């Protein structure tokens, strides 16, 4: 009897090689409505979370930035201003539908000069070592099958002195927030997904994937194991979201 490697897709166990296809299905399905759903999922607060994460990136004029799982381009829009015309932002996503949506959106905003696009898998980034001053993955790490490989790959493509950041839904730091958040994620969110994006299952998966994501301290340890130094995390909205930051020395 052969044993296939399995991993979690939300709360379900699936064959490791199937997860990429399943995640792709979720994001193909929600690409067009993704921003509206983000507003509903976070009551609009995701815009503030993203701004804070961008501040923590400390991007300066002329730097090279990789926005991994950059999807619809929110972080790239904020980061390219800081990198300036002498800098470069690479908007990268594994999903072609999300990348297309993001690219169209940025072109509509008139942002073309210092942005490039790449369809990549975060676990094995196709860039040379020591390329970027900053790599950020926003609301994407929890969808990656091998998170450790993705963190190692992020570390590899950073220049010495570069910053790696993970912005992700995390684990509430107090029981009241946790109860409210659970009710919202598992009872209300899939219903909103059904109503707005005609897609209850994809939003149930998103809620489950958040629950399966490592807690703050565990993710910090994972970053240290991947080679990052001076790792720290910042909780926002009672730990519903956290930004982790580490440096390549």
């Amino acid at each position: 009897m052969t044993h296939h490697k399995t991993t979690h897709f939300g709360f379900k166990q699936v064959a490791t090689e199937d997860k990429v296809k399943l995640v792709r299905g979720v994001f193909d399905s929600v690409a067009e409505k993704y921003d509206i759903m983000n507003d509903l999922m976070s009551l609009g607060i995701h815009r503030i979370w993203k701004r804070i994460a961008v501040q923590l990136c400390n991007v300066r004029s002329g730097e090279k930035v990789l926005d991994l799982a950059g999807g619809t381009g929110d972080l790239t829009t904020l980061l390219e201003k800081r990198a300036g015309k002498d800098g470069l932002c690479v908007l990268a996503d594994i999903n072609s539908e999300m990348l297309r949506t993001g690219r169209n959106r940025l072109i509509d905003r008139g942002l073309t000069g210092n942005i490039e696009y790449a369809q990549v898998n975060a676990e094995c980034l196709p860039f040379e070592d020591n390329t970027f001053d900053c790599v950020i993955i926003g609301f994407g790490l929890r969808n990656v099958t091998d998170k450790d490989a993705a963190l190692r790959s992020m570390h590899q493509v950073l220049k010495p002195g570069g910053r790696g950041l993970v912005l992700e839904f995390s684990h509430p730091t107090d029981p009241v927030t946790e109860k409210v958040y659970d009710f919202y994620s598992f009872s209300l969110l899939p219903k909103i997904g059904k109503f707005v994006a005609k897609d209850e299952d994809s939003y149930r998966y998103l809620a489950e994937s958040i629950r399966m994501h490592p807690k703050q301290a565990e993710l910090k340890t994972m970053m240290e194991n991947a080679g990052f130094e001076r790792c720290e995390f910042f909780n926002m909205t009672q730990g519903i979201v956290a930004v982790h930051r580490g440096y390549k020395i």
Side-chain angles (χ1 to χ4, degrees):
M1 193 178 131
T2 55
H3 286 283
H4 291 292
K5 283 180 80 170
T6 64
T7 185
H8 53 78
F9 174 73
F11 288 165
K12 293 198 266 294
Q13 285 292 316
V14 297
T16 300
E17 63 270 20
D18 293 341
K19 176 160 178 171
V20 172
K21 285 201 288 283
L22 288 164
V23 170
R24 185 184 304 136
V26 169
F27 287 98
D28 280 349
S29 168
V30 301
E32 282 301 316
K33 297 262 173 48
Y34 189 67
D35 281 7
I36 304 166
M37 284 304 302
N38 270 345
D39 279 328
L40 290 168
M41 272 169 85
S42 69
L43 308 176
I45 309 171
H46 74 99
R47 295 171 191 283
I48 298 167
W49 295 333
K50 286 169 180 165
R51 286 183 184 281
I52 292 168
V54 165
Q55 284 176 339
L56 290 168
C57 286
N58 292 335
V59 172
R60 291 180 293 279
S61 178
E63 288 194 326
K64 278 188 171 171
V65 185
L66 175 60
D67 177 12
L68 263 184
T72 50
D74 283 4
L75 287 170
T76 292
T77 301
L78 298 169
L79 288 161
E80 71 85 33
K81 288 185 186 66
R82 290 164 180 256
K85 63 181 191 311
D86 299 326
L88 175 70
C89 265
V90 178
L91 173 60
D93 204 292
I94 196 170
N95 182 280
S96 57
E97 280 306 306
M98 293 289 281
L99 204 54
R100 188 177 300 124
T101 304
R103 184 164 173 258
N104 291 343
R105 195 157 289 178
L106 293 173
I107 290 168
D108 288 348
R109 288 176 189 155
L111 304 176
T112 51
N114 57 350
I115 300 173
E116 289 178 5
Y117 301 90
Q119 189 173 352
V120 305
N121 181 343
E123 293 174 27
C124 44
L125 295 171
F127 307 106
E128 290 201 8
D129 293 3
N130 311 315
T131 298
F132 295 99
D133 298 286
C134 179
V135 178
I136 183 168
I137 182 164
F139 302 115
L141 189 62
R142 70 177 192 281
N143 299 311
V144 172
T145 306
D146 187 341
K147 295 176 178 59
D148 294 305
L151 291 168
R152 283 196 301 273
S153 197
M154 286 168 67
H155 184 267
Q156 216 167 340
V157 300
L158 275 173
K159 294 176 185 173
R163 292 84 63 202
L165 288 95
V166 178
L167 166 64
E168 190 54 271
F169 286 105
S170 203
H171 293 267
T173 48
D174 69 276
V176 175
T177 305
E178 191 168 25
K179 282 207 172 57
V180 173
Y181 182 56
D182 272 3
F183 173 73
Y184 183 68
S185 303
F186 290 98
S187 303
L188 295 184
L189 185 62
K191 298 287 177 280
I192 297 171
K194 185 177 181 179
F195 180 69
V196 176
K198 310 282 179 279
D199 190 352
E200 188 169 357
D201 290 347
S202 289
Y203 284 94
R204 179 166 290 113
Y205 159 72
L206 290 175
E208 290 176 1
S209 70
I210 290 166
R211 176 62 49 78
M212 300 299 283
H213 188 66
K215 288 190 161 66
Q216 286 88 324
E218 188 189 341
L219 182 55
K220 178 173 180 261
T221 303
M222 286 166 69
M223 286 182 75
E224 288 164 352
N225 292 342
F228 286 99
E229 314 247 348
R230 287 166 47 206
C231 296
E232 55 193 329
F233 61 85
F234 307 85
N235 282 322
M236 301 188 278
T237 318
Q238 268 71 47
I240 285 175
V241 164
V243 181
H244 282 67
R245 180 174 64 187
Y247 295 83
K248 180 170 179 173
I249 303 300

